[in-house]
Structures are given as C-alpha cells and as structure tokens.
Amino acid sequence: MPELFQVVTIAEANARLSAHLTPLTRCESLSLHEALDRVLAEELRSPVDLPAFPRSTMDGFAVRAVDTYGASESLPAYLTLCGEVPMGRAPHFTVGPGQAALIHTGGMLPAGSDSVVMIEHTQYLDATTIEVARPVAIGENVIPIGEDVKRGELLFPRGHRLRPQDLGGLAGVGIVQVPVVARPRVAILASGDEVVPADAEIAPGQVRDINSYTIAALARRAGGEPILCGIAPDDPAVLAQMARAALEVADLLVLSAGSSVSARDHTVKVIESLGAPGVLVHGVAIHPGKPTIIAAAGNRPIFGLPGNPVSAMIAFGLFVAPALRRLQGMPDIAPPPIQAVLTLNIASKPGREDFVPVRLHRRDGTLYAEPVFGKSNLIYTMAHADGLVRVPLDLTGLYAGATVEVTLF
C-alpha cells in the first residue's frame, strides 16, 4: 500500500477536510435545564438591564454621599433614620438630606440615596440616629442599573457552547428557552472478523468490541449523538452495504477498521464508493494512528480509524472532535493543555508527532507527568492515564525534567 506512506501533517489533514465541512442547520429549542454543553444556533441578546434597579452590595445604610464627606471616628456624621428597605420590594420613601435608610445586601436603593455606608463603619446613637465614622463616594457599595448586562447587549454569539455560568446568566435576564444546534449524528461501524459484541463469550482468536463504546463516548463528549451500527465482517460487499446504511442516517461516519493491510484496503475502497470527493487523506504523520483515513461524501465527513484502541482514541481527538465542533458551528478551539514536569525520557522519530499517555501526580507542589508506555492495542494504557503528551514533529524525543504540555482526557 504505497499510498499509506504518503502521510501528511495534522494541520494539512484537517485543512483538507475543512473545505468539505458545512455547519448543520438543524436546531431545536431547549430549556436551560437541558442545555448544558449545547451549542447556540443563533446569537442571544439581553431583553433587559441586569440589574434592573440599583442594588446594595453590602449590609449597611443607604445615604447621600455628600452627607458623609469629612466623617471620621473622631468627628462622625450624624444621620437620622427614615426607614428600612424591604427585601424583594421597592422602598416607598425617599432619603432626604441628613437621612439614612437601613439596607441589606441586594436591596434596592431608595430614591434620594446614591451610596451605601457599610454597617461596620456605623453605630447607633439612639433608636433614630446613627453615627457614620467613614465617608463614602457616590456609587460606593452600589451596583448601578445595567452594570452586569445592558438591554440589547450581546450575551453569547452563535456557536457558543453553554457552560453552567452561562445558564445562570441567561436565567438572570429571563431567557429560559434557548435555540441550540442539533447534535451531529455520528454513525459508528466497527469491523473485523475477530471482533464480537462486548457482552459475548469470546472464543480463541476473538476480541470484544472496545472501539464502538470508546468512540461513542468520545462522540457524546464532543457534542455528537452516537449511533451504533454494529460490527461488519471483513467482507467488502457487506462492509460497503453496512457503511452506506450507516451514512444515510448520520452527519458523520466513523469506521473502526482492522489493523491488517487487507482490512485497510477494504476500508479505503468502501469509503471511495460512498460518494465524492472520497478519500482526502490516507496516512498522517503521527504515532500511534498513522493509518488514519479522512474522507468526505458530499458534506458528510467520514473517518477510517485504526482498529487499535489507543490509535483510534488519539485519531478521534485530532480529527473527529474538531470536525464535530465545526459541524456545530463552534470555533475550533481545543481545551487548553496544562503544564507538568516529565519524569521519564520519551523517544521519538523526526518527521512524525508522537502522542504518549501520561499519568499525573503532584509532589511538593509540582505537577509531574509519568509516561504510561504500552502498545496501541492495549486499552488500559489509556484507562490508566490522565492525558497525552505530544512530541513535536522535528524532535527525536523529550527528556526527563522537561516541562511539557499535557492534553487532558
């Protein structure tokens, strides 16, 4: 298979597919309780000012700032109490010159007042008079109308993934239903005569289907809706029939192919038969995961991932996850890595990017990354790791003691 070794870089592979990716137009309306991690189908603007009224940030007294100027512990200002601000209701009185109103955190400032004196800086002289021992400026300890968000202000753009704090922000302005992009449907088709369902009793020479479960979980984490399409035998005609049926119900197809040269041959031919433009990349300069296939049929991306679980997971993160973000209209920004100190040397070869699972642990305030070495067909190499360290294309390895970036799982 000479074409297998015409490898391209990660950036080139993603660029080739990018020209054939179109964001989905299907959308749905969800309540805030259902919208966590979903992607907005349109921009959202605030229908109101937040807060809608000037609010106190402290327990204390609402005053006119001018009445406190020059106040000190040795020469306090004396103010007359004119009322108490009720929580959850507007006060029906006005703070006049030389007056103050008891107010609690979150309470609405009464008319006439423009600041709040913290209760710690006051004391009662009698039942109707307080001493103010420190001056305040206009607006001190007050949140003005619209300081958080103004009416008409852009809250979130289209393509924004909703986080817990975003849902709270939407609730604060009264938006309780949000338009979100439908989850991309990810068809997952395993293949291989040796692969059997995970709940099956296995015979000598057989292996349980690991990749369907792993890829389905990765797809769901990336915002997709996985559709398990079964296990195809190493029969090109049957594989092609099952792949066509899978693609008909999906926005993206993942084939988990066997590792043999003949199995890769079948996968390439089947993918080419699914529609133009067909195979865009066959072989990427990475290890593990070099035999990855990237293709498209119309505007539907297709991936042929290696059968080895570690290779499949790494290739998914590098190529399938970015495609799912693009289908949802999201900016292609992967989660930022963290830094750690490498505990062992990692060998590599120039001309490829190596991805090595690592286990993290902290000692004496320093975060360390310990490589978890193992072959690409060993799923527990990944299960026992916390993330991946990347060895750049032009390096022959990384040395123990170096500070490295770890992409967390």
Side-chain angles (χ1 to χ4, degrees):
M1 281 189 66
E3 73 274 18
L4 175 61
F5 300 101
Q6 295 175 3
V7 296
V8 299
T9 64
I10 295 170
E12 174 63 19
N14 279 321
R16 290 187 187 183
L17 179 61
S18 179
H20 303 280
L21 286 176
T22 303
L24 300 178
T25 57
R26 298 193 317 275
C27 62
E28 56 186 329
S29 179
L30 295 180
S31 72
L32 293 186
H33 291 302
E34 303 172 293
L36 180 63
D37 289 331
R38 298 299 296 270
V39 178
L40 287 175
E42 59 188 62
E43 69 175 27
L44 295 180
R45 292 184 176 272
S46 179
V48 297
D49 291 318
L50 185 68
F53 55 88
R55 304 178 65 188
S56 174
T57 63
M58 300 286 177
D59 290 339
F61 295 91
V63 300
R64 301 187 329 144
V66 68
D67 292 333
T68 70
Y69 293 166
S72 64
E73 291 186 2
S74 60
L75 189 62
Y78 296 95
L79 301 178
T80 301
L81 292 176
C82 63
E84 179 177 352
V85 175
M87 291 302 293
R89 300 197 307 276
H92 298 297
F93 57 84
T94 298
V95 175
Q99 293 183 326
L102 181 62
I103 193 169
H104 308 285
T105 303
M108 179 178 180
L109 255 68
S113 63
D114 55 24
S115 54
V116 173
V117 178
M118 294 173 60
I119 201 164
E120 295 92 324
H121 300 152
T122 67
Q123 65 178 9
Y124 282 92
L125 184 63
D126 55 41
T128 61
T129 308
I130 62 167
E131 293 181 347
V132 178
R134 186 175 299 181
V136 290
I138 293 175
E140 189 168 340
N141 300 323
V142 174
I143 303 176
I145 294 173
E147 181 174 297
D148 203 354
V149 169
K150 290 181 171 57
R151 182 192 297 268
E153 183 177 334
L154 177 66
L155 300 175
F156 306 109
R158 185 191 186 282
H160 179 79
R161 183 179 63 86
L162 292 169
R163 304 163 298 171
Q165 60 267 43
D166 304 333
L167 302 181
L170 292 172
V173 298
I175 296 175
V176 295
Q177 289 284 135
V178 289
V180 297
V181 179
R183 292 186 185 275
R185 297 171 301 215
V186 181
I188 301 165
L189 178 60
S191 67
D193 288 335
E194 77 282 12
V195 182
V196 299
D199 58 355
E201 292 295 327
I202 59 173
Q206 294 180 328
V207 295
R208 292 188 175 92
D209 178 14
I210 292 173
N211 283 352
S212 289
Y213 290 87
T214 307
I215 294 169
L218 289 169
R220 189 172 287 109
R221 175 175 283 178
E225 186 64 44
I227 304 171
L228 298 179
C229 298
I231 303 168
D234 286 329
D235 181 321
V238 177
L239 178 60
Q241 180 183 13
M242 293 180 70
R244 281 192 294 272
L247 192 58
E248 285 179 1
V249 299
D251 302 301
L252 181 150
L253 172 61
V254 177
L255 297 173
S256 175
S259 297
S260 68
V261 172
S262 61
R264 289 197 295 264
D265 276 336
H266 295 335
T267 304
V268 170
K269 292 174 182 176
V270 165
I271 290 175
E272 287 284 9
S273 73
L274 296 176
V279 173
L280 305 169
V281 173
H282 189 191
V284 188
I286 59 174
H287 178 266
K290 182 178 178 180
T292 298
I293 302 165
I294 301 174
N299 61 356
R300 285 178 291 182
I302 302 169
F303 299 89
L305 302 188
N308 286 334
V310 176
S311 304
M313 284 190 69
I314 290 172
F316 188 102
L318 294 173
F319 307 114
V320 187
L324 285 171
R325 289 194 287 269
R326 288 287 302 277
L327 287 177
Q328 295 171 86
M330 297 174 63
D332 187 17
I333 302 174
I338 63 171
Q339 291 192 330
V341 176
L342 195 63
T343 63
L344 297 171
N345 292 342
I346 295 176
S348 182
K349 295 180 180 179
R352 76 182 190 192
E353 295 186 63
D354 274 65
F355 292 85
V356 179
V358 293
R359 182 186 298 112
L360 297 173
H361 62 271
R362 190 175 295 277
R363 186 174 68 248
D364 298 330
T366 300
L367 188 65
Y368 291 92
E370 177 187 350
V372 182
F373 295 115
K375 296 181 173 62
S376 61
N377 59 352
L378 303 178
I379 184 60
Y380 278 91
T381 300
M382 299 293 262
H384 291 156
D386 300 303
L388 295 171
V389 166
R390 179 180 68 90
V391 183
L393 202 66
D394 55 348
L395 295 186
T396 58
L398 298 172
Y399 291 99
T403 298
V404 294
E405 292 188 339
V406 180
T407 300
L408 298 177
F409 292 141

